[in-house]
Amino acid sequence: MKKNVLEISSFSNEKLKYISGLKEKKNREKSKTFFIEGYREIQRAKVSGKVKFEYLLISPSCYLGENEEELVDSIDAKTILVPKQVFEKISYRDRPDGLIATAELPDFSLSPKIKLSGDPVLVIEGVEKPGNLGTILRTAEGAGFNAVFVADPRLDLFNPNVIRSSTGTLFTLDVFQSDIQELYPVLKKSGYRTIAVTPEAKSLHWDGNLKGKIALVFGSEQYGLSSYARSQSDEYISLPMKGVADSLNLAMSAGILMYEVLRQNRK
Amino acid sequence: MKKNVLEISSFSNEKLKYISGLKEKKNREKSKTFFIEGYREIQRAKVSGKVKFEYLLISPSCYLGENEEELVDSIDAKTILVPKQVFEKISYRDRPDGLIATAELPDFSLSPKIKLSGDPVLVIEGVEKPGNLGTILRTAEGAGFNAVFVADPRLDLFNPNVIRSSTGTLFTLDVFQSDIQELYPVLKKSGYRTIAVTPEAKSLHWDGNLKGKIALVFGSEQYGLSSYARSQSDEYISLPMKGVADSLNLAMSAGILMYEVLRQNRK
């Protein structure tokens, strides 16, 4: 290791308490910093260029062997070395991989002057479950969506479970947070058609024209679309449901739709 | 309520300890019974006709108001009434809905004489995470798949989290458990093409012919396909991955593929 490292062996150290505390929303709000765990997640946060790191907590005996030293050396942060048993106490995971960072909260707010590339985008409204949002981001990234708009979320985007289930794509994608009423005019001005996905729609997704500048809009797990999105969208589509169950999991619906968009837009 | 109900108010009662214990695999193996929580899950277990109930634990002050009384009256089981605070201790959920049943473990083993309808089927090999299997079952049901073959699972099919995330479709679908080496000959004899989904395949899923008698085969989260499935399948396809991430969540991949099968086979 090439950098200066501070060794701390007691969990009761104030710095470690601060880092561990960032798993809680109230502490993130107070300090304006957050918690990123895992090689892949920290690596993606780094390459995104959006994240200003603060601390890097390492425990080499937990490393899984993916060039951790190199990543550690490349990150500009105060580095703290802790024993395995201390690391496991701070970790958010069942099987920690020896790397946790803290960083300043990046600004994901929507600028009304945003320039959109013309590719399809995703709008997730009122999302409640961090695991769903993270899975949606991971899938959006796989499906080649560049921008995801998180409107009126019922969760904190920097919840550790969003970061974990997104596998760090929260950073590599362009993610914007705003009110739905602020977002729709921006999308319309940029020439986007808003296509809301809702079980009440009669038109099935595979019959819809999902080419070009489209914004797929999904409502919350429990409440569905807001009355605003319900009334202000340009088109409405649904996924076919063949069995006794009346709906799919939100992340699943979004993933299926995004891959249908990718299919219709393939070269 | 029309039936005889036993009232128990102490959590230390032996019957309640037995019921609560069924959340653990070792106790399910010993007693050959399992734990089903929730109105929707119990209702689907009932209509499936596959489940022989034993106890029904109720706490009406937790009911969410979906005709619980009617369901309780329709189930042939020893019914136990408990106070809310006792129910919450036994519950597997954050927000319990006042209904837990126990039942004999149904036999999901594969019969070599199985008759398949000719519709597409799903094979999930070596699955590790109960939430993934449950989500896959829920989505399979939505996509109109009737049969799901769970080969060499690394989990217990009657894990409460499988049941919960399947929303009870574990019972309404035809689910079979077997070795992969026992399953492939059965599928081939019935005229099924086995199509393994793996990142190494060059052919993309939307270019594949997914019509008719096909079995989509997915490997485990961590290890992928077994060497048997890797060598013995008829065809191989992959999902396109556009971003920096190298894979999707297993349940997501399966859901996207099942809806592509549904699309290709639509009338």
Side-chain angles (χ1 to χ4, degrees), chain A residues 241-254:
Chain A
M241 295 295 306
K242 295 291 180 183
V244 300
D246 52 358
S247 69
L248 297 179
N249 164 282
L250 168 64
M252 185 61 77
S253 301

Side-chain angles (χ1 to χ4, degrees), chain A residues 4 24 43 70 72 82 110 126 149 163 165 205 207 245-246 259-260:
Chain A
N4 289 329
E24 305 292 328
Q43 205 264 337
E70 196 182 317
V72 169
V82 297
L110 179 67
F149 299 91
I163 298 172
S165 48
H205 74 297
D207 295 325
D246 52 358
Y259 267 83
E260 175 62 12

Side-chain angles (χ1 to χ4, degrees), chain B residues 88-227:
Chain B
E88 286 173 346
K89 271 194 190 166
I90 300 170
S91 167
Y92 187 73
R93 299 186 168 186
D94 293 337
R95 279 176 267 175
D97 70 0
L99 292 167
I100 290 171
T102 70
E104 290 178 16
L105 283 175
D107 182 8
F108 281 5
S109 60
L110 179 67
S111 157
K113 291 180 186 161
I114 185 178
K115 288 258 189 295
L116 293 168
S117 68
D119 290 330
V121 300
L122 189 66
V123 178
I124 302 295
E125 196 193 22
V127 61
E128 293 156 53
K129 295 184 182 171
N132 276 342
L133 179 57
T135 302
I136 288 170
L137 294 172
R138 178 180 176 184
T139 311
E141 213 265 349
F145 279 58
N146 296 315
V148 177
F149 298 91
V150 184
D152 305 312
R154 294 186 174 88
L155 51 71
D156 174 21
L157 258 65
F158 298 94
N159 179 306
N161 204 16
V162 172
I163 297 172
R164 177 172 59 178
S165 49
S166 85
T167 68
T169 57
L170 175 65
F171 309 112
T172 53
L173 289 165
D174 286 337
V175 176
F176 301 98
Q177 180 171 350
S178 70
D179 299 341
I180 191 80
Q181 304 190 13
E182 187 188 345
L183 173 60
Y184 264 49
V186 169
L187 291 173
K188 293 196 176 191
K189 215 175 62 186
S190 303
Y192 273 76
R193 285 183 291 140
T194 48
I195 304 180
V197 182
T198 170
E200 297 118 50
K202 285 189 188 112
S203 173
L204 295 179
H205 72 299
W206 52 48
D207 295 326
N209 170 10
L210 304 178
K211 290 181 183 169
K213 285 183 162 184
I214 63 158
L216 283 182
V217 185
F218 291 86
S220 91
E221 294 89 337
Q222 203 178 341
Y223 306 104
L225 295 166
S226 67
S227 56

